[in-house]
Amino acid sequence: METALPAAGFLYWVGASTVAYLALRISCWFFTALRVWGLGHEAGVGPWLGEWAGEKFKVETKTIAVDFTSEDIYDKIKASLAGLNIGVLVNNVGMSYEYPEYFLDVPDLDNTIKKLITVNALSVCKMTRLVLPGMVERSKGAILNISSASGMYPVPLLTIYSATKAFVDFFSQCLHEEYKSKGVIVQSVLPYYVATKLAKIKRPTWDKPSPETFVKSAMKTIGVQSRTNGYPIHSLVASVSASLPSWLYFKIAMYSGNSIRVRYLKKMKMN
């Protein structure tokens, strides 16, 4: 009986500490969500950054057609951008696997490795190299690098994609620290699923917003968060994922990826 009392006391404090920790995490998340999405604040991007920043809303537009799977496109882009004051750069080009797969079994593996690194990682560095000097010279500008929630934590069965998106995230964080004192915002955007044709999601849902809904939400984070999931529900999911022990996270990730893989391969055999 005497030995049971200290053990019960120990378990009590373990439970109380766990509850306190979870309560603190939840409180921090709600505070951050309120600050970012609930309270009104001045947008981090706008006409003051430059005339060349969008496709509509009565601003000037110039189209440069290139294939980002190629490495010899940047001289053409540089020449086309000559003389333009670029206020906002959105590095949104990207590609992933056709379906989750084990590394050695990825179809056309050598070509896939080259394409994903060239499109997802090289393009971000090269486009930033072209646009950043002008922003630094004018002491203003914003670079929004679209990473992925897959870049926050390793995602097995999407290994190359996850790794390249992690590169984008780290690159963005480093660049922001280097150039924020020079008036340039560099933001890493790490969304979960958005209802697009590329993601093969036809209809938006509460956790898979339309591109318009996601962009409207993400815009509120510019100048407030240098690293964001861009959407309240995505931010909540990221917080939950971060609280999981690594063994449980990887178990869930492998199960989810394998389930999608099996369904895809079964569908291909039926066709």
Side-chain angles (χ1 to χ4, degrees):
M1 185 70 179
E2 292 179 358
T3 58
L5 289 175
F10 173 75
L11 292 175
Y12 169 81
W13 285 111
V14 169
S17 299
T18 301
V19 171
Y21 171 76
L22 292 175
L24 180 62
R25 287 292 298 264
I26 293 171
S27 298
C28 288
W29 182 86
F30 276 111
F31 174 78
T32 301
L34 178 64
R35 180 173 66 91
V36 175
W37 289 288
L39 301 177
H41 51 77
E42 185 178 1
V45 295
W48 59 87
L49 289 180
E51 299 172 346
W52 296 84
E55 299 178 346
K56 50 185 179 178
F57 302 112
K58 299 181 180 179
V59 297
E60 295 181 89
T61 302
K62 184 173 187 177
T63 301
I64 308 167
V66 294
D67 179 0
F68 277 95
T69 61
S70 301
E71 298 182 31
D72 58 355
I73 60 175
Y74 296 98
D75 287 339
K76 176 183 176 181
I77 296 174
K78 182 178 180 179
S80 299
L81 296 180
L84 304 182
N85 293 329
I86 307 299
V88 180
L89 169 65
V90 181
N91 281 314
N92 190 37
V93 62
M95 64 182 298
S96 184
Y97 292 13
E98 183 68 21
Y99 65 97
E101 183 56 278
Y102 289 84
F103 178 72
L104 293 179
D105 295 327
V106 172
D108 195 12
L109 179 57
D110 288 335
N111 194 37
T112 299
I113 292 172
K114 182 178 180 181
K115 279 187 175 181
L116 263 67
I117 292 175
T118 301
V119 173
N120 294 352
L122 180 67
S123 67
V124 176
C125 298
K126 287 284 195 177
M127 290 303 301
T128 300
R129 171 67 183 88
L130 293 179
V131 172
L132 183 58
M135 293 181 175
V136 172
E137 184 180 347
R138 295 187 299 275
S139 298
K140 60 181 180 180
I143 299 175
L144 313 179
N145 294 326
I146 311 302
S147 178
S148 166
S150 299
M152 297 180 71
Y153 321 102
V155 181
L157 304 183
L158 292 176
T159 301
I160 310 170
Y161 177 74
S162 178
T164 55
K165 287 302 184 178
F167 170 86
V168 173
D169 182 35
F170 274 49
F171 178 76
S172 303
Q173 292 182 67
C174 294
L175 212 62
H176 180 72
E177 293 302 318
E178 291 177 14
Y179 289 99
K180 64 182 181 181
S181 63
K182 300 181 184 298
V184 180
I185 297 169
V186 182
Q187 186 186 57
S188 175
V189 185
L190 304 120
Y192 282 82
Y193 286 113
V194 177
T196 64
K197 290 182 180 179
L198 185 63
K200 299 178 182 178
I201 301 173
K202 297 180 180 179
R203 295 182 180 85
T205 60
W206 65 276
D207 62 328
K208 301 176 183 67
S210 67
E212 294 78 12
T213 299
F214 180 82
V215 169
K216 185 178 180 180
S217 174
M219 289 283 285
K220 296 179 181 179
T221 70
I222 302 173
V224 181
Q225 290 181 309
S226 60
R227 189 170 184 258
T228 181
N229 296 108
Y231 186 65
I233 301 301
H234 291 185
S235 178
L236 178 60
V237 174
S239 296
V240 172
S241 297
S243 68
L244 296 175
S246 60
W247 67 267
L248 179 57
Y249 165 78
F250 278 116
K251 192 174 186 66
I252 294 172
M254 280 296 292
Y255 176 80
S256 175
N258 256 323
S259 296
I260 297 172
R261 173 179 174 271
V262 169
R263 287 199 302 270
Y264 179 88
L265 293 177
K266 185 176 180 181
K267 183 178 179 182
M268 289 298 101
K269 286 183 178 180
M270 291 176 63
N271 293 337

